[in-house]
Amino acid sequence: MISYVKIDSSTEAELELYVNMFEKEVESFWLQLKEIGLLRWRINRVWNKRAGFELSQIFEYKDET
């Protein structure tokens, strides 16, 4: 099963604040999701021509349970 999440921010500072908070909690977050079947997870900055501040996250699980 694959889940895709897009996170929009109003400003680049808000986006960076989210990334910094997430970096502090990433190990705990990963371990919790791994217990319920997470196989792979990626977070990416979305670069576009308009002045948007976006991240995308892709979660891959072994099944739906």
Side-chain angles (χ1 to χ4, degrees):
M1 181 173 84
I2 295 176
S3 176
Y4 176 82
V5 178
K6 189 177 128 213
I7 301 164
D8 295 317
S9 297
S10 301
T11 64
E12 189 166 10
E14 185 180 288
L15 184 73
E16 290 299 323
L17 182 63
Y18 177 83
V19 170
N20 289 337
M21 179 275 311
F22 207 81
E23 286 176 342
K24 292 177 185 176
E25 303 295 329
V26 71
E27 186 174 346
S28 172
F29 181 77
W30 168 256
L31 292 174
Q32 289 177 15
L33 292 179
K34 191 175 178 182
E35 287 180 13
I36 60 170
L38 185 68
L39 299 174
R40 196 174 0 204
W41 162 64
R42 296 289 177 262
I43 186 169
N44 299 295
R45 172 82 188 254
V46 177
W47 297 96
N48 53 37
K49 291 184 179 182
R50 61 187 174 98
F53 306 100
E54 303 173 359
L55 294 174
S56 69
Q57 295 186 51
I58 298 173
F59 300 86
E60 296 180 34
Y61 295 90
K62 64 181 177 180
D63 56 37
E64 293 184 30
T65 58

